[in-house]
Amino acid sequence: MSKLRDFVTRDHRYVLLGTSVVAFLGMLLSSSPRPELSFLAHAFTVELVMYYVLAAWLVLCAVALLFKLTHWHNYAESSPLTKPAVARALRVGSYVIWAITAVLLVDRWVMGLASAWQVAAAAEKMPDDMLAQVLYMFQQGRDTYITGIVTTIELAVFGTLIAFFLALLLVFVRIMQVDRSDNDCVRFFKKVGVWFAKVYSTVVRGTPMLVQGVIIYYAGFAFVSSFGLSVTDTNAIWSRFVAGLVVVSLNSTAYMMEVLRGGIESVDKGQMEAARSLGLSQWQAMVRVVFPQGIKFAIPGLSNELVINIKDSSVLSVIGVFDLAFAASTVAGIYWKQLNAYLVAAVFYLIMTAVASWLLGKFAKRFNVKAETMGSTSDQPVKVEE
């Protein structure tokens, strides 16, 4: 019985504490100005009752807190709020508070957004309200934003796919070891391959993508134009989009290679030894036995690169790639409203990364692995446990 009372005490405490924050938010929403399309504008009495219900809940929470402070050691036995019937009533009351706050949230924020959209759509010049300004700039520059969004998605998706296959090649080169049966030529190429993979990973992961973009774009432009082509012909071959795709692909290759290496090294070494004892070569054992197991460990980190590329591709606007960041800069230059233009870009970046994270979570769940949070690859491979 005492355990049940303790549980009820903790439960109602959490209900009061959590819902008091919701009630306070609801009171703030009720005190804020009504938007043009507010459906509570003609229901003043209803909103007034809702406001006082929220206020009464806050008073009840304050009384409960005061009683708790004055009866710290015997609160569970002495407080009337811990009785099962009262606890059930408090839970029902918490649902009412949540419902009231949700209604106010829709009335103030959702309808406020709809009102601002209506003002922006009807405006012939820049509105005075900031939210209406943001929506007005999006409406006027939507073609520019859409072009930037499409370019960003193309760079992230195709860059990640290309990087995956390049990383597969490099990681096999990176982890190859010299066998006794290897001749001098094979030993030489294995050592050179391992050295190249290490240097490539160090250089690419040790320099910013912005710097890499500038170097690769202008180096590629100089190389193509060295064949005697005009600037127009050179731009047709070595366009800014192609240069950006190369930058994203080469940058992601280094990180994905280390993620793959971490996944492969997470496989028990006995798997390789067992495969070799059965007569398989080092390459056959890696491809047929170790890699199929290691790729499962690497899936979360590999898929995470797509989310990273969606965000990091924004630095390619420095070389003129017409991505979402460049689109925001273009719109901002027209209206001289930097904050508003980049707020629109931030919303679309958030939407793209959220959708990508959701899809990648579904993909990881299908392979029975745990999706990781967004981040970057560390210098050393991390062993992942199932």
Side-chain angles (χ1 to χ4, degrees), residues 30-286:
S30 181
S31 302
S32 62
R34 296 186 183 88
E36 187 69 24
L37 298 179
S38 171
F39 53 80
L40 292 176
H42 304 291
F44 175 77
T45 303
V46 174
E47 185 173 349
L48 187 63
V49 171
M50 294 166 63
Y51 182 87
Y52 281 119
V53 169
L54 296 174
W57 185 267
L58 284 178
V59 171
L60 176 63
C61 293
V63 171
L65 177 61
L66 181 62
F67 196 89
K68 172 67 176 178
L69 294 176
T70 55
H71 299 75
W72 186 267
H73 298 289
N74 60 345
Y75 178 77
E77 295 77 14
S78 59
S79 175
L81 299 178
T82 58
K83 295 180 179 180
V86 178
R88 286 193 294 269
L90 288 175
R91 180 164 292 279
V92 173
S94 69
Y95 297 151
V96 174
I97 298 302
W98 276 94
I100 292 175
T101 304
V103 171
L104 291 170
L105 186 67
V106 172
D107 181 74
R108 294 301 195 268
W109 286 7
V110 177
M111 301 311 296
L113 181 62
S115 301
W117 182 270
Q118 186 180 64
V119 171
E124 296 181 357
K125 61 179 183 179
M126 185 70 71
D128 296 328
D129 181 69
M130 182 174 178
L131 180 58
Q133 289 179 357
V134 172
L135 296 176
Y136 175 81
M137 292 174 64
F138 168 70
Q139 290 177 0
Q140 298 300 315
R142 60 181 176 272
D143 293 337
T144 303
Y145 279 114
I146 292 174
T147 301
I149 292 170
V150 172
T151 303
T152 297
I153 294 174
E154 290 175 344
L155 287 172
V157 173
F158 292 118
T160 304
L161 289 176
I162 294 171
F164 174 71
F165 291 106
L166 292 176
L168 279 178
L169 176 62
L170 280 180
V171 75
F172 285 134
V173 173
R174 173 71 173 80
I175 62 180
M176 284 293 103
Q177 298 178 354
V178 177
D179 280 345
R180 293 180 180 179
S181 59
D182 293 339
N183 56 43
D184 292 341
C185 183
V186 174
R187 289 170 181 266
F188 172 77
F189 281 111
K190 280 187 175 182
K191 289 182 178 181
V192 170
V194 171
W195 174 83
F196 173 78
K198 287 182 178 180
V199 172
Y200 177 82
S201 176
T202 301
V203 172
V204 172
R205 293 188 299 144
T207 55
M209 185 186 286
L210 185 147
V211 176
Q212 296 168 14
V214 173
I215 292 174
I216 291 175
Y217 172 70
Y218 288 106
F221 188 90
F223 174 76
V224 175
S225 62
S226 65
F227 291 96
L229 299 177
S230 64
V231 174
T232 303
D233 293 335
T234 302
N235 284 327
I237 298 173
W238 185 248
S239 65
R240 300 177 190 275
F241 176 81
V242 172
L245 184 60
V246 170
V247 173
V248 173
S249 301
L250 295 181
N251 183 273
S252 290
T253 297
Y255 288 98
M256 296 180 84
M257 179 183 70
E258 294 300 328
V259 173
L260 283 170
R261 185 165 70 94
I264 291 172
E265 293 185 354
S266 296
V267 179
D268 189 270
K269 294 182 179 180
Q271 297 290 320
M272 172 64 79
E273 295 172 357
R276 295 301 302 274
S277 67
L278 293 175
L280 288 135
S281 66
Q282 185 180 132
W283 175 262
Q284 290 174 330
M286 180 60 63

